[in-house]
Amino acid sequence: MSMEQDVTMDITAASGTAIAPAARAVEVIGTDLTERSLRRYLEGIAGVDAVGLEARAAGLGTRSIKKESKAWALDKVISLIDLTTLEGADTPGKVRSLAAKAKVPDANDLSTPQVAAVCVYGDMVPYAVTALGAAHAGARSDGGGVNVAAVATAFPSGRASRSVKLADTVDAVAAGADEIDMVIDRGAFLSGRYGQVFDEIVAVKEACKRVDGSYAHLKVILETGELSTYDNVRRASWLAILAGGDFIKTSTGKVSPAATLPVTLSMLEVVRDWHRLTGEQVGVKPAGGIRTSKDAIKYLVTVAETVGEEWLQPHLFRFGASSLLNDVLLQRQKLATGHYSGSSYVTID
């Protein structure tokens, strides 16, 4: 896209049809969408009071859950987890094992809720879909079940051509992925090339289209650990939502720091402001580093206090985690039996 070329023209030339996110962005920004107008809008967003943000996050992190509510909170956390394996050594067998745990997190207590999704690399999607079977959300008509999420767009670095990123997305959706977790080009964002990042998100969103005309949900990973400042996190959040992201996600889990409470609070505030502006609901997914039920409950409180309890549903909030589930299961067993079980009482992911 040239410096002054209308983004909608660029997208129309690529896809042959007008793209709704571009039209929505024009409506929100209030002028033709160009690199200059997009930059002016994003850089005009009020800066973040870092001291105030961190103080509020710290205060929310001290809120306690009453004993009678803890069982509800633990079950809620489980229902919001994207059970994840994103290793180079992943095998079909490991994915099948993960899917089995997603369906039945605790074989000794079948009242334990299922997780929200299994998150894998794109080439592992067919194994996850098959292993979930009737539990796969795509195989059900009741709106329940476990989704399959696939990381795409040259995860985790995002360093690939756009054609490769789009092919990565198309392949995962064709294989049965219900959700796509894409990474933004952090180099382009940090260089101020907001139009390039916008265009890419819109193009990936279009690549999420299924043959029946529906779309896989798109989670846009900001990799907040590389964005360095809360102001950048806020701008990147607005940019991702303007471009049509269904979720904004903190991290790949491969960069430190990953999810933090202040960063997640900042993103939730953007989602709150977007909802007030447009009436639309966008999801938030903190990912990486959330390992204990105690920490997870802090996030539940932060969500409820910032955007409302309505967001505590799988289509609006997720935890990206691999080890969190085991700790929550042990805490759940403690509530049921009155004593802590050893780690051998939960399966190794």
Side-chain angles (χ1 to χ4, degrees):
M1 182 179 70
S2 67
M3 289 294 290
E4 294 303 318
Q5 184 179 13
D6 192 313
V7 173
T8 57
M9 291 174 60
D10 181 67
I11 296 166
T12 299
S15 68
T17 56
I19 301 298
R24 178 175 61 177
V26 168
E27 183 179 352
V28 171
I29 291 176
T31 184
D32 288 344
L33 191 59
T34 65
E35 182 75 46
R36 179 179 294 176
S37 66
L38 188 58
R39 182 183 296 115
R40 185 186 303 120
Y41 183 83
L42 293 173
E43 294 182 353
I45 294 171
V48 177
D49 176 354
V51 174
L53 179 75
E54 291 175 355
R56 176 161 171 75
L60 290 169
T62 63
R63 302 277 181 88
S64 60
I65 295 286
K66 294 180 180 179
K67 185 175 181 181
E68 57 268 26
S69 299
K70 189 172 183 181
W72 173 88
L74 293 175
D75 279 2
K76 178 60 67 174
V77 169
I78 293 172
S79 73
L80 298 173
I81 288 176
D82 282 2
L83 195 57
T84 303
T85 182
L86 296 170
E87 302 297 333
D90 285 343
T91 64
K94 183 175 182 181
V95 171
R96 284 191 288 267
S97 176
L98 199 72
K101 186 166 184 175
K103 291 191 292 184
V104 185
D106 187 348
N108 293 315
D109 185 352
L110 298 183
S111 70
T112 308
Q114 295 179 333
V115 302
V118 170
C119 185
V120 295
Y121 277 110
D123 63 320
M124 294 286 108
V125 168
Y127 303 108
V129 170
T130 300
L132 287 171
H136 177 218
R140 298 167 63 110
S141 59
D142 60 2
V146 180
N147 281 348
V148 174
V151 294
T153 65
F155 177 98
S157 70
R159 301 256 62 90
S161 68
R162 185 173 298 185
S163 61
V164 169
K165 294 178 181 180
L166 297 180
D168 196 17
T169 303
V170 169
D171 286 349
V173 173
D178 306 289
E179 305 168 5
I180 295 294
D181 290 29
M182 71 165 288
V183 289
I184 67 166
D185 184 334
R186 283 86 76 189
F189 178 85
L190 292 170
S191 299
R193 290 178 277 131
Y194 301 139
Q196 179 180 331
V197 179
F198 180 96
D199 266 353
E200 193 157 277
I201 296 170
V202 170
V204 173
K205 177 71 174 181
E206 187 64 13
C208 289
K209 191 173 185 178
R210 304 185 183 97
V211 293
D212 65 0
S214 64
Y215 287 81
H217 276 219
L218 179 62
K219 305 195 200 86
V220 182
I221 306 172
L222 309 181
E223 197 65 288
T224 54
E226 291 184 342
L227 298 186
S228 301
T229 70
Y230 295 128
D231 285 349
N232 279 339
V233 171
R234 178 174 285 182
R235 288 193 192 102
S237 297
W238 273 100
L239 180 58
I241 294 172
L242 283 167
D246 299 301
F247 263 76
I248 48 176
K249 177 178 171 181
T250 61
S251 331
T252 62
K254 306 296 185 181
V255 170
S256 183
T260 68
L261 206 57
V263 160
T264 304
L265 172 59
S266 177
M267 294 165 65
L268 286 165
E269 288 176 345
V270 171
V271 164
R272 177 200 62 200
D273 294 345
W274 177 262
H275 182 247
R276 289 174 178 174
L277 180 66
T278 68
E280 297 175 358
Q281 295 176 311
V282 175
V284 177
K285 178 180 174 180
I290 305 171
R291 298 184 175 89
T292 68
S293 56
K294 182 178 180 180
D295 285 341
I297 289 172
K298 293 178 182 179
Y299 283 85
L300 295 187
V301 171
T302 301
V303 172
E305 292 288 332
T306 307
V307 289
E309 291 186 20
E310 183 181 356
W311 254 259
L312 293 176
Q313 304 178 63
H315 71 282
L316 290 173
F317 189 76
R318 300 282 182 85
F319 293 103
S322 54
S323 58
L324 173 61
L325 179 57
N326 278 354
D327 186 75
V328 178
L329 292 177
L330 291 173
Q331 294 295 329
R332 200 173 183 276
Q333 291 170 7
K334 164 68 163 52
L335 282 182
T337 65
H339 59 82
Y340 282 106
S341 303
S343 58
S344 59
Y345 283 81
V346 291
T347 59
I348 298 173
D349 299 330

